[in-house]
Amino acid sequence: MTRFLSGAGLLASVLAIGGCATYHPLPLAKEAHLADRIGQIRHTLPAPASDGQDRHIDVGKPLDADQIGLLAVLNDPGLQAERGELDLAQADLIQSALLPNPSVGLGYAALLGGPGTVGAYTASLSQDVASLVTYRSRLAAAHAHHEQIDADLLWKEWQVAQKARLLAVDLYWEGREIADSETEHASVSEAAAHLQRAVDNGSVSLSALGPMLASKASLEQSIATLRLAQLKNWHDLDALLDLRPDVRFALAKPQAPAVPARLDALILSMPRRRPDLIALRLGYRSADENLRAAILGQFPAFVLGGSWNSDTSAVRSGGPTATFDLPIFNRNQGQIAQTQATRLLLHEQYQNRLDAAAASVLALQARDRYLASTLPDTRRMAAAAASQAASARQAYTHDNLDQRTLIDYENTALQRRIEVFDLERGLDETRIALALELGLGLPQTRLAPLDTKR
């Protein structure tokens, strides 16, 4: 019997060691890994399941807002960290899928004296039955939680792409405004210098120079404000792309998506497309399964097994054993109350998010209609102001108009052009935001790279 016990113990030890994980070091980085140019970042989209072909974004050409959004998803350092949540959910799923190990008890008592003739042996085998009752519900809850994290990560990718797209739109139109403002500033500066020389020569009074200098100062302040906003937006975009803050690249004119038809039908189908709503539904399902497990957990702790015994007089006995709790004080009421409250909370959060999403879509639709209806008139006024400025320039060339009046016409034309730029930027931003709220125009599966190497 001693050999049997020794052999059983050795076998159990070998099996335990054979199934153990091994340690592998994972050293931390010693320096930042910011790219010096856009060609150094990831720009290959994973192959979709339909055709199996990778798609490369040509970063050597001007990039549109959608391309920049995809590049941000592939390279944003924040998303790299967020993806660890999916590994944690996967580990939780593995843990939930494991059945409790049976318990083995072995014992030997040597004969030290008395009427006995041999040593005493004890062996038992038992299994926790109560945990098997809740196994299916716990596993279903873990599956739903894993899928919830996956959907939530997709939503975070969409939000990163949205932020990058909006930054690209702002940067493009800020560039247009700065270019036009600098052209006007050069014209005003030339006129101010001409007047300054005339004042120095005594041919023009000093009062004529004041308004010109004020116009020049106003333009300089406006350009400085635009450049500061542009610098911040470049820093934010470079951070999303994991680039150094001073990296610049060409931007294409934004091509905002058209407002889809049958908006009411798209609003009704949002819960099947938007990852955040899908994640909330999966979270609710996980909470519902946890509630089921808590209700089943009212079943008292129950361990069933069997034992074999041999005493010092060589009398052998064996039979079943059972150990269970008496549910007098604890009937799992606390766990049931917690899971019920969690399910109710997620139920209300889902309804709130759904209502907010529908309201946001309707608000963006109203904003889009307003901007789209205002833009044609603003363009006509800008064209009229540009035509008047051209006529004023021609009149000035023929000495039929003074320089100060010409600058006023050109300033008016600039302000009209900036109004057009602001409306076009607002329309681009609104339609990009509307596409996101409806769950349109972005990948329906995560683009997470599996490694952190470029």
Side-chain angles (χ1 to χ4, degrees):
M1 189 63 186
T2 304
R3 291 181 178 178
F4 170 75
L5 293 176
S6 301
L10 180 61
L11 178 61
S13 300
V14 171
L15 291 175
I17 295 174
C20 290
T22 56
Y23 169 78
H24 298 283
L26 184 63
L28 295 173
K30 296 182 179 179
E31 59 183 12
H33 291 161
L34 298 177
D36 295 325
R37 52 187 178 83
I38 195 168
Q40 293 178 342
I41 66 174
R42 297 185 189 91
H43 50 272
T44 300
L45 301 177
S50 57
D51 56 14
Q53 296 292 323
D54 292 342
R55 183 161 68 90
H56 300 275
I57 298 176
D58 189 353
V59 295
K61 296 180 179 179
L63 299 169
D64 61 32
D66 289 342
Q67 290 174 321
I68 290 175
L70 293 174
L71 289 174
V73 171
L74 292 174
N75 295 279
D76 178 43
L79 282 179
Q80 297 290 341
E82 293 284 354
R83 287 163 188 143
E85 294 184 11
L86 192 60
D87 293 333
L88 292 176
Q90 180 66 32
D92 183 59
L93 178 59
I94 293 173
Q95 181 63 36
S96 299
L98 297 176
L99 292 171
N101 291 322
S103 298
V104 176
L106 300 173
Y108 172 72
L111 178 62
L112 301 178
T117 58
V118 295
Y121 302 94
T122 302
S124 64
L125 177 67
S126 60
Q127 176 67 49
D128 181 9
V129 178
S131 60
L132 300 178
V133 175
T134 61
Y135 174 76
R136 294 186 64 180
S137 294
R138 288 186 290 108
L139 184 58
H143 270 294
H145 178 65
H146 181 268
E147 293 173 359
Q148 175 195 4
I149 296 298
D150 191 47
D152 202 34
L153 282 175
L154 177 59
W155 178 244
K156 290 177 180 178
E157 288 189 355
W158 280 23
Q159 289 179 309
V160 167
Q162 175 77 345
K163 183 178 179 180
R165 293 161 85 191
L166 293 177
L167 286 171
V169 168
D170 287 346
L171 284 168
Y172 176 82
W173 290 113
E174 283 167 354
R176 291 287 304 273
E177 290 183 24
I178 289 172
D180 279 25
S181 297
E182 287 181 336
T183 300
E184 180 63 18
H185 179 264
S187 177
V188 172
S189 297
E190 181 183 353
H194 178 75
L195 277 177
Q196 182 66 58
R197 289 192 295 270
V199 169
D200 294 341
N201 294 331
S203 58
V204 176
S205 65
L206 186 62
S207 60
L209 182 61
M212 190 70 67
L213 294 177
S215 178
K216 179 184 176 183
S218 178
L219 277 171
E220 289 171 347
Q221 183 180 10
S222 176
I223 292 172
T225 301
L226 286 170
R227 285 196 172 281
L228 187 61
Q230 185 188 50
L231 182 64
K232 180 182 181 303
N233 287 336
W234 269 118
H235 288 171
D236 291 343
L237 184 57
D238 284 338
L240 288 178
L241 299 178
D242 205 18
L243 293 165
R244 292 174 57 88
D246 56 351
V247 176
R248 301 292 181 266
F249 46 88
L251 300 173
K253 183 178 180 179
Q255 299 294 329
V259 177
R262 301 183 61 190
L263 205 60
D264 292 340
L266 289 174
I267 291 175
L268 290 176
S269 61
M270 278 194 306
R272 298 193 299 272
R273 285 191 316 276
R274 274 187 46 161
D276 61 327
L277 296 175
I278 294 173
L280 286 173
R281 289 167 58 194
L282 290 167
Y284 177 82
R285 185 191 301 173
S286 177
D288 192 58
E289 292 294 344
N290 283 330
L291 176 57
R292 292 175 185 270
I295 292 173
L296 292 172
Q298 295 177 103
F299 185 82
F302 187 77
V303 178
L304 183 64
S307 65
W308 180 90
N309 303 280
S310 174
D311 62 16
T312 55
S313 60
V315 175
R316 293 178 293 277
S317 61
T321 61
T323 304
F324 55 90
D325 292 344
L326 292 177
I328 298 175
F329 305 110
N330 182 4
R331 297 184 299 279
N332 214 33
Q333 307 99 311
Q335 189 66 26
I336 292 173
Q338 288 179 355
T339 51
Q340 282 180 332
T342 300
R343 186 181 69 165
L344 178 60
L345 175 63
L346 291 173
H347 181 277
E348 298 305 318
Q349 286 178 343
Y350 176 76
Q351 186 63 57
N352 178 64
R353 182 72 64 87
L354 188 59
D355 292 347
S360 180
V361 168
L362 295 175
L364 288 169
Q365 181 190 30
R367 175 179 169 83
D368 178 82
R369 287 174 176 172
Y370 170 77
L371 292 173
S373 63
T374 305
L375 186 56
D377 289 340
T378 307
R379 282 173 173 163
R380 282 193 291 271
M381 289 187 291
S387 177
Q388 291 170 354
S391 299
R393 170 64 65 179
Q394 187 175 8
Y396 173 76
T397 303
H398 293 88
D399 295 328
N400 293 325
L401 192 70
D402 63 276
Q403 197 170 40
R404 173 60 194 165
T405 305
L406 170 63
I407 294 301
D408 288 341
Y409 275 109
E410 291 182 339
N411 275 336
T412 301
L414 172 64
Q415 295 304 316
R416 292 299 186 187
R417 287 197 302 275
I418 290 177
E419 288 176 10
V420 172
F421 294 158
D422 288 341
L423 287 174
E424 289 183 336
R425 173 167 57 182
L427 197 60
D428 289 339
E429 292 174 344
T430 300
R431 292 186 175 178
I432 288 175
L434 185 60
L436 177 75
E437 293 292 334
L438 290 171
L440 302 173
L442 287 169
Q444 297 295 316
T445 57
R446 293 189 302 110
L447 300 181
L450 298 178
D451 63 301
T452 58
K453 298 179 181 178
R454 288 194 175 90

